[in-house]
Amino acid sequence: VTTMAALRRLAAADVPSVRRDPVDPSARVAAEKIVEEVRLEGEAAVRRYAEKFGELQPGAELVYTREAELKSAWERVSDEQRALLKRTKERIEYFARAQLTAAKEVTVPIQGGEAGH
């Protein structure tokens, strides 16, 4: 017969306070370098890293950034696809408004401070 050890109740003061950075320090250093290069160099750095990480083929369009390019892309989409995109946009906006209405500030006291959103 196997017996299971009983769980014991702990007081909040008996729980060790452990603070960990959720991001690996080496990943943070690499990300900070990328962000700084994008801040300084703009689109050239975005393109360089997108190509480096295999997210963009060399010479491919990076993003549609200008009004004329966006309008041209929209006009190349079929009426059916445009209708679908419009319905999807409306559904996303409807849900986002509902989320905002339901969201409330929450703050809960915990040992060493408080947690919340």
Short mmCIF file of all heavy atoms in Angstrom, two decimals, residues 10-11 22 26 38 59 80 95 99 103 117:
data_model
loop_
_atom_site.label_atom_id
_atom_site.label_comp_id
_atom_site.label_asym_id
_atom_site.label_seq_id
_atom_site.Cartn_x
_atom_site.Cartn_y
_atom_site.Cartn_z
N LEU A 10 0.56 26.56 4.18
CA LEU A 10 1.62 27.53 4.42
C LEU A 10 1.02 28.90 4.61
O LEU A 10 0.06 29.27 3.94
CB LEU A 10 2.59 27.59 3.25
CG LEU A 10 3.40 26.34 2.92
CD1 LEU A 10 4.21 26.56 1.65
CD2 LEU A 10 4.31 25.96 4.07
N ALA A 11 1.63 29.66 5.48
CA ALA A 11 1.26 31.07 5.61
C ALA A 11 1.97 31.82 4.49
O ALA A 11 3.02 31.39 4.00
CB ALA A 11 1.69 31.60 6.97
N PRO A 22 11.21 36.98 -16.98
CA PRO A 22 10.65 35.98 -17.90
C PRO A 22 11.37 35.89 -19.24
O PRO A 22 11.10 34.99 -20.02
CB PRO A 22 9.20 36.47 -18.09
CG PRO A 22 9.26 37.93 -17.83
CD PRO A 22 10.34 38.12 -16.80
N SER A 26 20.14 36.76 -22.74
CA SER A 26 20.79 36.82 -24.06
C SER A 26 19.77 37.17 -25.14
O SER A 26 20.08 37.88 -26.10
CB SER A 26 21.49 35.51 -24.39
OG SER A 26 20.56 34.44 -24.47
N VAL A 38 16.46 49.17 -35.84
CA VAL A 38 15.24 49.55 -36.56
C VAL A 38 14.88 51.00 -36.24
O VAL A 38 14.49 51.77 -37.12
CB VAL A 38 14.07 48.59 -36.22
CG1 VAL A 38 12.75 49.13 -36.72
CG2 VAL A 38 14.35 47.20 -36.79
N GLY A 59 14.66 41.46 -52.05
CA GLY A 59 14.05 42.26 -53.10
C GLY A 59 12.52 42.26 -53.10
O GLY A 59 11.91 43.02 -53.85
N GLU A 80 -15.90 39.33 -53.86
CA GLU A 80 -16.22 38.35 -52.82
C GLU A 80 -15.22 38.44 -51.67
O GLU A 80 -15.60 38.44 -50.50
CB GLU A 80 -16.23 36.94 -53.42
CG GLU A 80 -16.63 35.87 -52.43
CD GLU A 80 -16.62 34.48 -53.06
OE1 GLU A 80 -16.83 34.37 -54.30
OE2 GLU A 80 -16.41 33.53 -52.33
N PHE A 95 -16.35 42.71 -31.54
CA PHE A 95 -15.82 41.95 -30.42
C PHE A 95 -14.89 42.81 -29.56
O PHE A 95 -14.94 42.77 -28.34
CB PHE A 95 -15.08 40.70 -30.91
CG PHE A 95 -14.59 39.83 -29.79
CD1 PHE A 95 -15.47 39.04 -29.08
CD2 PHE A 95 -13.25 39.83 -29.43
CE1 PHE A 95 -15.03 38.24 -28.04
CE2 PHE A 95 -12.80 39.04 -28.39
CZ PHE A 95 -13.69 38.24 -27.69
N GLN A 99 -15.21 43.60 -25.64
CA GLN A 99 -14.12 43.34 -24.70
C GLN A 99 -13.83 44.58 -23.86
O GLN A 99 -13.66 44.49 -22.65
CB GLN A 99 -12.84 42.94 -25.43
CG GLN A 99 -12.72 41.49 -25.73
CD GLN A 99 -11.35 41.19 -26.30
OE1 GLN A 99 -10.88 41.87 -27.21
NE2 GLN A 99 -10.72 40.16 -25.79
N ALA A 103 -14.01 44.78 -19.83
CA ALA A 103 -12.73 44.86 -19.11
C ALA A 103 -12.83 45.83 -17.95
O ALA A 103 -13.35 46.93 -18.08
CB ALA A 103 -11.61 45.28 -20.06
N HIS A 117 -4.11 44.25 -13.62
CA HIS A 117 -4.10 44.75 -15.00
C HIS A 117 -5.11 45.85 -15.14
O HIS A 117 -6.00 46.04 -14.35
CB HIS A 117 -4.38 43.65 -16.01
CG HIS A 117 -5.72 43.00 -15.86
ND1 HIS A 117 -6.85 43.55 -16.42
CD2 HIS A 117 -6.11 41.89 -15.20
CE1 HIS A 117 -7.88 42.77 -16.13
NE2 HIS A 117 -7.46 41.77 -15.38
#
